[in-house]
Amino acid sequence: RKEVEQDPGPFNVPEGATVAFNCTYSNSASQSFFWYRQDCRKEPKLLMSVYSSGNEDGRFTAQLNRASQYISLLIRDSKLSDSATYLCVVNTYDYKLSFGAGTTVTVRA
Amino acid sequence: EAQVTQNPRYLITVTGKKLTVTCSQNMNHEYMSWYRQDPGLGLRQIYYSMNVEVTDKGDVPEGYKVSRKEKRNFPLILESPSPNQTSLYFCASGFRENTEAFFGQGTRLTVV
C-alpha cells in the first residue's frame, strides 16, 4: 500500500466553481502535512501547510482528519490560474517526506 | 534571490557513462534531498542529508550516490546509468523536515 494516495482526477471545473479533493495517508504516526502545487512538470511549490484545526489561505481551505487519516483541499471561486497538479505531502519521521502522485485540476473558461 | 539551482536542466546520455547532477542552495539550509518523479508514481526520495557529511538513503537509492561536503552543495551521482533511471529529478532544501521544502527547477534525464 502506498504511504500517500490521491485521486488522480482530472477534476475539470468551470471558472467560479468549488472543487475539493482528498488525500489519504497510511502511517498514523505522520506528523506534518502539506499541499504543494506543481505546474506542468515544473518544480513543486508549497501551497499551504495543513494544521490540525484546519486552515484557510484566501480561496484555499485545508482540513486534517487524523482519525480517518486523510487531508483535504478545497478551492473556492476557481480561477483559470488554479489549473495545476496538487500534491499531498506527509512527513512521517526524520526528513522523510512522502508525496502523493498528485490530483490534476483543470479550470475552464 | 533565494533559490535552489540544479544543473544541467536536460541531459541525454548513454548507458554506463558516469554523470553528476549538481544542486546548490543559497539559503543556508541544513536539509537537502533528491527526488525522482515518474508518471503515476509521484516524487520518490532518493537520498537526503541533514547536514554536512550526514546523508541517508531514501526510498529508491539503488544506482545513485550523493555527497555533502559543503552545506550549500548536494550533487547526485550516477556511476553507471541505466535506462530505468530515465526520469525527472528534483533537488530540494529546507531548514528542517517539518518546514517548507524549496525545489530546484528539475533535471530531465534520458538514458539510452
Side-chain angles (χ1 to χ4, degrees):
Chain A
R1 182 184 174 188
K2 291 182 180 178
E3 291 192 36
V4 180
E5 298 205 53
Q6 294 183 246
D7 181 345
F11 288 81
N12 191 325
V13 300
E15 271 188 294
T18 295
V19 59
F21 40 90
N22 293 339
C23 153
T24 59
Y25 59 95
S26 61
N27 192 330
S28 59
S30 299
Q31 300 169 5
S32 306
F33 309 88
F34 309 91
W35 283 105
Y36 277 72
R37 171 190 170 130
Q38 186 175 27
D39 294 295
C40 203
R41 304 285 272 177
K42 294 186 177 179
E43 72 272 25
K45 293 183 179 179
L46 180 69
L47 178 67
M48 58 195 302
S49 301
V50 186
Y51 303 119
S52 296
S53 55
N55 48 298
E56 254 184 47
D57 184 0
R59 297 180 294 105
F60 297 85
T61 300
Q63 296 281 348
L64 167 63
N65 186 317
R66 285 191 182 270
S68 300
Q69 295 182 202
Y70 75 85
I71 66 176
S72 64
L73 182 66
L74 182 145
I75 308 173
R76 285 187 303 277
D77 188 22
S78 299
K79 312 291 184 190
L80 293 175
S81 57
D82 294 333
S83 297
T85 296
Y86 292 86
L87 305 176
C88 174
V89 183
V90 176
N91 169 256
T92 309
Y93 59 88
D94 292 341
Y95 298 93
K96 180 161 171 48
L97 291 178
S98 296
F99 286 76
T103 297
T104 299
V105 173
T106 302
V107 182
R108 63 182 188 275
Chain B
E1 181 188 355
Q3 58 186 4
V4 179
T5 303
Q6 290 179 232
N7 279 297
R9 296 285 312 282
Y10 303 92
L11 179 59
I12 300 174
T13 190
V14 296
T15 299
K17 185 177 181 181
K18 180 179 179 179
L19 67 92
T20 299
V21 184
T22 63
C23 175
S24 180
Q25 51 94 4
N26 62 0
M27 294 170 279
N28 202 35
H29 287 161
E30 293 178 349
Y31 164 72
M32 297 186 75
S33 184
W34 277 102
Y35 300 87
R36 60 178 289 174
Q37 186 174 33
D38 302 289
L41 296 178
L43 278 86
R44 293 179 293 168
Q45 192 174 46
I46 302 171
Y47 270 95
Y48 63 93
S49 170
M50 290 179 280
N51 215 323
V52 175
E53 302 292 0
V54 181
T55 63
D56 208 346
K57 297 177 180 178
D59 295 319
V60 288
E62 294 78 21
Y64 305 94
K65 287 175 60 177
V66 294
S67 67
R68 188 91 182 273
K69 297 178 181 176
E70 306 165 282
K71 198 171 188 177
R72 63 184 291 127
N73 295 322
F74 191 45
L76 179 69
I77 303 159
L78 284 73
E79 294 271 4
S80 182
S82 61
N84 64 12
Q85 292 178 299
T86 292
S87 188
L88 177 59
Y89 291 86
F90 288 105
C91 178
S93 72
F95 283 111
R96 294 182 304 276
E97 71 278 17
N98 290 333
T99 60
E100 178 179 3
F102 293 83
F103 285 81
Q105 291 179 291
T107 296
R108 192 172 295 277
L109 172 65
T110 301
V111 183
V112 298

